[in-house]
């Protein structure tokens, strides 16, 4: 299938293109479809009928009892891509990250250094330390040597242009409030924040979670490992899109089969993401309510299958639609032969709208009637929503044309339902032949497993390649504080152990899907050595060979080389998140790296001990002047 013939789903923003055709209801189950062999396989991969018969470290043949294994204690293998000065720099930077004063005041100290040493000397100092450790270079040409070196040692790249605005807290809060509050809310004389559900003069029906709050307007607060974009105007969003396009082209020009990362909040006014997220969540709650009416609450999410006749009677009784409309929603091809409706079929009801603002219609939980989320949308707001979708479409097409996979980063929970749904719509279009678009799942969320399983089931039904990046999450502190202060349920798992269990549960589910039909793909984005070992163990159990390129590993540049490089040299697809940009403009990124490494280095001395071990090995073997050969 030629991508030039694929329906351009998001650009024209017609209902059938924005959200695809309605889903066919199946007989209800999470059982896998029987696929023809030619449909099940990525042509570049081979089904593994038995464990790989080569030891990926030594190159020697396996005996029947041998399994794939990687030695993460072998410092010679882990650091063979580094000269000794690079190892010493890593030790220095990681040690500095353990001092609270330096980390807490790192921004002020960098500003002071710039004044004392001058711009030129400051940049040299940064390139010898933090910048050199965590950033690849200033532009697309400067990063090529590092990317080529890493690739020579088996490690690919996920390019990420890490320039951010250096805003004050007050500036960030003002931008957030201006971009997340609609004109209807601004013009309303009603105190929206004080509206009660029974107050019919309050026309917006908004929930506190999905509204902007000034005290959390600076979304950088408590976030240590993710870039943050603030909306300025449409021209700025176009500039971000061009930056992402350049990043895609740089990835295509510097590596084979690379990734490029994007953030949805960089591509448009976040007001739409807030509102669409609220709509999606409320429609899902309404489905749960209807499932409870049929005595099916408490069941696994994909096992909740509503009897059609009872569902239609309930919807008509609640006044959600006229009898003829409700009956037409689930007939013929849309229903199939099962006679039941599950969550995926239900989600498709949000598709048939003529304007994007008409998507923002919600069921009133008391009356059942469909009501607008807001009383009105301006023409400009409608255009802004369309432009965000058009920018996404442009980026997806550029990624496909350049042979680069596009990875959509996860963001805050009040944006994430919309981000995930829009990413899924891109997957339905651009993942027909291979996995070009990857969604990100945050496993510190209580809903993570449900989100993964529902999306995998949709890909299975519709026959496209599922692509996922699994992360633990970057917004925990901010999410907990916001939920507690504003007053809604904490979306985060109760503790780190629960998050680990959730991560492994989601990962195992996707690995099982890979094992069954070879159309799922996952990036294990983790610095946790136990999680990496868990993945290798499951791959052994399922006879998944790394050369199939279905399971990827990812770590940040400058961190956990003792995991990345042994994996890469053992033949596993492994990638470094590679930030780049001018020294002065990536200082916010470097500030967060320092904060992240403080917790990382205080929690474990393993990486520093391995670095010391390798330096000592080189010293005793007369290899202090070792230079990587590639």
């Amino acid at each position: 299938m030629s991508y030039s013939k694929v329906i351009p789903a998001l650009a024209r923003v017609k209902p059938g293109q924005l959200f695809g055709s309605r889903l066919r209801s199946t007989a209800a189950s999470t059982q896998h479809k029987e696929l023809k062999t030619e449909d099940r396989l990525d042509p570049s991969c081979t089904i593994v009928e038995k464990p790989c018969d080569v030891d990926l470290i030594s190159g020697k043949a396996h005996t029947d009892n041998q399994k794939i294994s990687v030695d993460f204690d072998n410092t010679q293998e882990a650091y063979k891509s580094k000269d000794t000065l690079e190892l010493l720099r890593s030790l220095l930077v990681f040690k500095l990250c353990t001092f609270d004063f330096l980390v807490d005041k790192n921004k002020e100290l960098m500003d002071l250094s710039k004044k004392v040493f001058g711009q030129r000397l400051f940049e040299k100092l940064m390139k010898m330390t933090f910048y050199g450790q965590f950033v690849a270079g200033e532009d697309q040409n400067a990063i090529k040597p590092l990317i080529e070196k890493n690739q020579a040692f088996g490690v690919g790249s996920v390019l990420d242009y890490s320039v951010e605005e250096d805003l004050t807290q007050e500036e960030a809060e003002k931008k957030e409030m201006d971009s997340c509050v609609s004109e209807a809310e601004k013009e309303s004389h009603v105190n929206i924040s004080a509206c009660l559900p029974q107050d019919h003069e309050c026309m917006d029906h908004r929930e506190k979670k999905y509204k902007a709050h000034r005290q959390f307007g600076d979304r950088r607060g408590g976030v240590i490992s993710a870039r943050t974009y603030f909306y300025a105007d449409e021209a700025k969003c176009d500039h971000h899109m061009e930056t992402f396009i350049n990043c895609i082209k740089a990835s295509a020009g510097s590596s084979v089969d690379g990734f490029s990362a994007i953030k949805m909040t960089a591509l448009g006014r976040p007001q739409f993401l807030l509102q669409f997220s609220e709509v999606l969540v409320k429609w899902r709650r309404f489905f749960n309510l209807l499932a409870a009416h049929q005595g099916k609450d408490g069941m696994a999410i994909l096992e909740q299958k509503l009897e059609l006749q009872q569902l239609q009677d309930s919807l008509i009784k609640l006044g959600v639609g006229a009898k003829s409309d409700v009956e037409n929603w689930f007939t013929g091809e849309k229903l199939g032969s099962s006679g039941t409706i599950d969550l995926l079929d239900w989600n498709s009801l949000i598709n048939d709208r003529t304007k994007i603002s008409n998507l923002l219609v919600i069921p009133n939980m008391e009356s059942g009637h469909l009501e607008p989320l807001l009383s009105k949308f301006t023409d400009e707001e409608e255009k802004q929503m369309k432009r965000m979708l058009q920018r996404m479409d442009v980026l997806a097409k550029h990624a496909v044309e350049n042979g680069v996979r596009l990875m959509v980063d996860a963001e805050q929970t009040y944006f994430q339902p919309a981000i995930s749904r829009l990413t899924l719509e891109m997957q339905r279009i651009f993942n027909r032949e291979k996995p070009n678009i990857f969604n990100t799942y945050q496993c510190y969320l209580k809903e993570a497993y449900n989100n993964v399983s529902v999306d995998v089931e949709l890909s299975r039904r519709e026959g496209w390649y599922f692509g996922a990046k699994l992360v633990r999450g970057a917004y925990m502190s901010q999410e907990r504080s916001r939920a507690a202060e504003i007053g809604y349920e904490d979306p985060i798992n109760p503790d780190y152990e629960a998050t680990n269990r959730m991560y492994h549960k989601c990962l195992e589910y996707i690995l099982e899907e890979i094992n069954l039909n070879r159309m799922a793909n996952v990036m294990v984005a983790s610095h946790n050595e136990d999680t990496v070992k868990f993945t290798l163990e499951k791959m052994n159990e399922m006879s998944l060979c790394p050369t199939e390129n279905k399971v990827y590993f990812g770590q940040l540049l400058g961190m956990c080389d003792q995991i990345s490089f042994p994996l890469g040299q053992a033949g596993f697809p492994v990638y470094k998140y590679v930030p780049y940009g001018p020294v002065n403009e990536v200082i916010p990124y470097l500030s967060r790296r320092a904060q992240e490494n403080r917790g990382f280095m205080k929690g474990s001395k393993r990486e520093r001990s391995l670095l010391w071990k390798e330096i000592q090995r080189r010293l005793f073997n007369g290899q202090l002047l070792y230079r990587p050969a590639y």
Side-chain angles (χ1 to χ4, degrees):
M1 178 175 64
S2 169
Y3 282 103
S4 64
K5 298 179 181 179
V6 173
I7 297 174
L10 300 177
R12 294 188 178 87
V13 199
K14 293 180 181 178
Q17 294 171 326
L18 173 58
F19 290 102
S21 59
R22 282 181 174 170
L23 310 181
R24 175 188 287 274
S25 178
T26 65
S29 76
T30 56
Q31 297 299 315
H32 297 265
K33 291 181 179 179
E34 290 297 326
L35 299 176
K36 296 179 181 179
T37 302
E38 61 266 30
D39 293 330
R40 293 175 61 196
L41 298 180
D42 181 333
S44 64
C45 296
T46 304
I47 282 187
V48 180
E49 301 291 350
K50 59 182 180 179
C52 299
D53 56 3
V54 174
D55 185 305
L56 296 169
I57 294 291
S58 66
K60 298 177 182 177
H62 278 295
T63 65
D64 289 341
N65 295 325
Q66 286 181 314
K67 297 181 178 180
I68 301 169
S69 62
V70 178
D71 184 2
F72 296 115
D73 293 311
N74 186 336
T75 60
Q76 185 173 0
E77 288 294 325
Y79 300 116
K80 68 190 300 183
S81 67
K82 311 288 184 185
D83 62 37
T84 305
L85 281 178
E86 289 177 288
L87 300 184
L88 290 170
R89 180 187 66 196
S90 297
L91 270 175
L92 172 64
V93 169
F94 291 155
K95 183 62 179 177
L96 290 175
C97 288
T98 65
F99 295 109
D100 288 336
F101 174 78
L102 294 178
V103 174
D104 291 336
K105 301 293 183 182
N106 73 84
K107 183 69 166 56
E108 292 86 346
L109 290 171
M110 283 191 279
D111 290 340
L112 178 62
S113 299
K114 195 186 304 183
K115 292 176 182 177
V116 172
F117 297 115
Q119 181 64 34
R120 189 172 178 181
L121 190 56
F122 170 75
E123 289 189 8
K124 284 189 176 182
L125 181 63
M126 292 299 294
K127 288 180 179 179
M128 291 171 59
T129 53
F130 286 92
Y131 183 94
Q133 181 71 19
F134 299 120
V135 183
E138 298 205 28
D139 54 37
Q140 298 169 25
N141 291 324
I143 66 177
K144 284 184 178 180
L146 176 65
I147 291 174
E148 290 170 358
K149 182 175 80 166
N150 285 352
Q151 196 166 3
F153 290 94
V155 176
S157 299
V158 181
L159 295 192
D160 188 12
Y161 190 66
S162 295
V163 169
E164 295 180 25
E165 288 183 280
D166 193 8
L167 301 174
T168 66
Q169 181 177 338
E170 291 74 19
E171 290 170 334
E173 288 175 355
K174 183 178 186 307
K175 285 196 171 189
E176 185 73 354
M177 297 305 293
D178 288 345
S179 63
C180 288
V181 179
S182 70
E183 290 303 316
E185 289 172 310
K186 292 176 183 176
E187 294 172 4
S188 175
H189 296 293
V190 179
N191 184 357
I192 294 174
S193 63
C195 283
L196 300 173
Q198 64 268 26
D199 183 0
H200 298 291
E201 292 183 3
C202 181
M203 296 297 294
D204 69 334
H205 310 292
R206 301 298 305 280
E207 286 192 13
K208 291 183 288 186
K209 178 175 180 178
Y210 299 100
K211 292 166 64 177
H213 297 268
R214 184 169 294 278
Q215 65 268 45
F216 294 98
D218 186 353
R219 287 183 276 115
R220 300 168 300 182
V223 179
I224 57 174
S225 58
R227 282 176 298 123
T228 303
Y229 289 92
F230 292 95
Y231 180 84
D233 51 39
E234 293 297 292
K236 189 71 171 179
C237 293
D238 287 335
H239 174 73
H240 290 153
M241 182 185 71
E242 291 300 326
T243 297
F244 289 144
I245 289 172
N246 290 336
C247 198
I248 289 168
K249 291 178 178 177
S251 183
S254 58
S255 62
V256 178
D257 216 19
F259 284 91
S260 190
I262 67 168
K263 271 190 178 290
M264 214 71 96
T265 49
L267 299 176
R269 187 170 178 170
Q271 171 196 336
F272 173 51
L273 297 177
L274 275 175
Q275 293 163 348
F276 192 32
S277 291
E278 184 171 357
V279 168
L280 292 169
V281 168
K282 286 185 173 179
W283 271 90
R284 187 156 171 171
R285 280 188 208 150
F286 194 41
F287 177 84
N288 293 337
L289 177 67
L290 294 169
H293 287 170
Q294 296 193 18
K296 298 183 179 180
D297 51 332
M299 299 173 65
I301 194 162
L302 287 173
E303 293 177 5
Q304 291 180 326
K305 299 180 182 356
L306 308 188
E307 297 300 325
L308 175 61
Q309 191 58 54
Q310 291 183 48
L311 174 62
Q312 289 177 332
D313 291 344
S314 295
L315 294 175
I316 293 167
K317 185 177 180 180
L318 288 169
V320 171
K323 187 173 187 293
S324 58
D325 291 335
V326 171
E327 289 175 350
N328 287 333
W329 284 345
F330 303 107
T331 58
E333 181 182 333
K334 299 162 191 170
L335 174 62
S337 59
S338 67
T340 60
I341 300 299
D342 66 9
L343 181 64
L344 296 180
D345 301 305
W346 179 257
N347 285 343
S348 71
L349 290 179
I350 311 176
N351 296 349
D352 296 343
R353 309 290 180 203
T354 57
K355 294 175 66 179
I356 298 181
S357 58
N358 288 343
L359 286 167
L360 305 180
V361 175
I362 57 171
N364 185 305
M365 297 293 284
E366 293 185 0
S367 69
H369 290 85
L370 295 180
E371 300 173 342
L373 190 67
L374 290 173
S375 58
K376 65 178 180 178
F377 288 85
T378 67
D379 289 341
E380 180 57 29
E381 286 173 334
E382 184 80 25
K383 291 175 183 176
Q384 289 169 353
M385 295 178 199
K386 288 184 179 181
R387 291 187 199 116
M388 175 184 278
L389 303 177
Q390 289 166 345
R391 292 181 188 110
M392 290 163 49
D393 189 58
V394 168
L395 291 174
K397 287 176 178 175
H398 270 87
V400 170
E401 290 167 3
N402 285 275
V404 173
R405 289 159 294 182
L406 203 61
M407 193 169 281
V408 182
D409 285 344
E411 303 193 46
Q412 286 88 349
T413 53
Y414 43 91
F415 294 138
Q416 193 55 40
I419 292 170
S420 289
R421 178 64 183 264
L422 296 173
T423 303
L424 183 145
E425 297 305 329
M426 288 199 292
Q427 289 180 314
R428 295 170 80 178
I429 299 158
F430 296 102
N431 284 12
R432 289 289 172 183
E433 295 182 350
K434 62 180 182 178
N436 290 302
I437 310 295
F438 279 64
N439 199 2
T440 300
Y441 297 87
Q442 298 165 304
C443 293
Y444 65 8
L445 297 180
K446 297 172 183 175
E447 290 292 315
Y449 180 77
N450 283 344
N451 294 336
V452 168
S453 59
V454 166
D455 290 354
V456 167
E457 172 67 11
L458 181 62
S459 72
R460 186 187 302 152
R461 290 186 188 185
E462 297 186 340
W464 43 266
Y465 287 87
F466 176 79
K469 178 177 76 167
L470 294 184
V471 299
R472 281 174 169 77
Y475 306 97
M476 183 176 70
S477 175
Q478 182 187 108
E479 293 277 13
R480 285 201 194 283
S481 299
R482 192 177 190 269
E485 186 164 339
I486 294 174
Y488 57 87
E489 182 184 354
D490 185 353
I492 308 296
N493 286 316
D495 51 43
Y496 185 75
E497 289 71 25
T499 294
N500 275 345
R501 290 193 296 271
M502 180 65 78
Y503 194 107
H504 290 178
K505 183 179 181 181
C506 294
L507 175 57
E508 187 169 8
Y509 183 86
I510 299 172
L511 292 175
E512 288 172 352
E513 181 71 12
I514 295 171
N515 189 38
L516 285 165
N517 71 16
R518 276 0 191 233
M519 288 189 72
N521 304 263
V522 63
M523 174 172 280
V524 183
S526 177
H527 295 148
N528 188 307
E529 194 171 308
D530 290 336
T531 292
V532 173
K533 289 178 178 177
F534 173 85
T535 308
L536 300 182
E537 179 184 335
K538 292 300 175 183
M539 290 180 71
N540 278 322
E541 290 176 7
M542 299 176 190
S543 300
L544 298 177
C545 194
T547 55
E548 290 185 83
N549 288 331
K550 295 293 181 183
V551 182
Y552 315 91
F553 296 87
Q555 289 85 37
L556 291 166
L557 182 71
M559 296 176 65
C560 293
D561 287 346
Q562 82 279 6
I563 293 177
S564 306
F565 285 91
L567 283 171
Q569 290 156 39
F572 289 86
V574 59
Y575 293 82
K576 286 289 193 184
Y577 242 73
V578 177
Y580 68 99
V583 175
N584 281 332
E585 297 180 53
V586 298
I587 283 178
Y589 175 86
L590 292 173
S591 177
R592 288 197 311 277
R593 286 285 74 75
Q595 293 176 37
E596 183 171 18
N597 273 287
R598 168 171 54 184
F600 180 78
M601 284 300 150
K602 283 189 172 182
S604 173
K605 296 181 180 179
R606 175 167 169 73
E607 187 159 6
R608 279 186 292 159
S609 67
L610 289 174
L611 285 164
W612 271 121
K613 181 180 175 182
E614 176 58 14
I615 291 171
Q616 291 169 345
R617 188 197 66 79
R618 292 183 185 183
L619 176 63
F620 295 143
N621 287 278
Q623 297 178 343
L624 275 181
L625 299 181
Y626 167 81
R627 304 285 295 179
Y630 60 97

